Amino acid sequence: MEEKKQNIIDKYLNTKSKKIAAGCVAGVLVIGVAGAVVLNSNGSKDLVFTSNEVDAEFGQKVSTNVADYLDANKVDDIDKIIKDTKEKDNLKYVTVTNKDEQGNVVSKEEKDYPKVGNYEINFTYKKEKQSVKVTVKDTKAPEITAPDSIDVIQYTDLSTFNFGELLQATDYSDVKDWKIDTSKVDVNTIGTYDLKVSIQDKYKNKASKKLKVNVVQAPEVGEGEVAVTEVVTDENGNKKTVVTKKSSAEVSKNDAVASTSPVSNKGTVNSSSSASATKPTTNSGTSKPSGNNTSSSNSSNSSSSSKGDEHKHNYNIPITKTVHHDAVTKTVHHEAVTRQETYTVVDREAYDEPVYETHVVCKVCGQDFGKGSEASLNAGDHSAITGHSYHSTKVQAGTKHHDAVTHQETKTVVVTPAYDETVVTKEAYDETVTTGYKCSCGATK
């Protein structure tokens, strides 16, 4: 009997020693795997970009968010990288200066797009660094807004015509003066002709547009009146020309006063763009346009004599009056400036879930023999020696980690609220108008 017990004990001890040895081997494997993970982590790259170069058109916003550059197919834990990555750049942004027609600065606004040039965006995550080269170029031509056709009075000198008031050029860059090709227009002959206008920005991007010029007969004018071509804005905000007549006192510097005799055509003329060049979505103010000088008719001195009076009148002293012109204003609406922001929403928090296994456990002393057929065998041996009973029960063997479930959402943030601005398109001014002439003797004409 004692020999039988000893055989059972030896068998049990032999089995346990095998389990202990197996446990040691397993421990070595775990250490080896852990070492491989560490090496892999140190040798991998987290900042893997789809591209390290960005070509941007002037006027485009350049992203400085690392999320827009990461290759999602080649990086792990992208949310953590986005959260912990630091960014530094040397981008220089455009500042638009708005001036009134007198050249005074009324406001300055920094835009969200960089100037033309070469830049670098640097990202740092842990000890890893990545750079993105940014090249900003201006390759787009200005956008021209012009009427399809205009009317001008016969014998109008186009070399002094205020085209800058009639045309509109929109470009992110500064533009040069308008080039007006009038070579196909015969202002001395009534009819319809082709006119070509063109403009170029500082980076030599050129735009052109053709329009029709209708040379029309001057309206009949009375004494003290002149025929003019006037640039006006219709109810839809579009520029157009109107052929009309005005008294000499009402003629402004922007009106094109027609001559009464043929004029020469120089072919190509320049016209200032200062009053007609704007930045997209930005009101750059209105410069005072350079208009025509109103033509004046020469009055020959006449003399009259009364019977018995040898005095001859010399009407060489002007009779003048001051005419006040009120300022002309308009209301310009500025839309709100907004941007999109991305943020993370947690749908379910991270948690650890217990993991259970069915083990064979002694009911008396609580010894856990593990799982499987070998566990049942060992429990049987234990029962034979101690007389204890055993049963199968669930034992927690570890935990399973569940990451948080999140998603990205965007929201619109107002950078600058919408507002209305009153802009002076023409300053108030006093004009001295000649209403007649008088002689030194007091006689008037």
Side-chain angles (χ1 to χ4, degrees), residues 343-391:
Y343 61 99
T344 302
V345 177
V346 178
D347 301 314
R348 188 183 68 195
E349 298 290 345
Y351 67 96
D352 292 329
E353 176 187 8
V355 176
Y356 295 94
E357 293 180 350
T358 301
H359 286 195
V360 178
V361 180
C362 178
K363 291 183 178 180
V364 178
C365 64
Q367 182 174 348
D368 187 344
F369 296 97
K371 61 182 180 178
S373 58
E374 186 178 355
S376 298
L377 179 60
N378 293 336
D381 293 342
H382 176 72
S383 178
I385 296 171
T386 63
H388 294 171
S389 61
Y390 58 90
H391 69 296

Side-chain angles (χ1 to χ4, degrees), residues 296-300:
S296 58
S297 57
N298 294 325
S299 300
S300 59

Side-chain angles (χ1 to χ4, degrees), residues 58-112:
F58 186 38
Q60 290 181 332
K61 183 178 179 180
V62 176
S63 174
T64 56
N65 188 344
V66 70
D68 295 326
Y69 300 96
L70 285 171
D71 190 337
N73 297 320
K74 297 181 180 180
V75 296
D76 297 324
D77 203 356
I78 190 169
D79 290 338
K80 187 175 189 311
I81 295 174
I82 294 173
K83 179 182 177 182
D84 296 340
T85 296
K86 297 180 180 179
E87 180 272 342
K88 187 176 182 180
D89 61 74
N90 61 349
L91 295 171
K92 295 180 180 179
Y93 293 91
V94 171
T95 299
V96 176
T97 301
N98 298 319
K99 299 180 179 180
D100 59 22
E101 67 176 11
Q102 306 302 323
N104 301 314
V105 176
V106 294
S107 66
K108 289 186 177 181
E109 179 185 8
E110 182 175 276
K111 308 302 292 183
D112 59 354

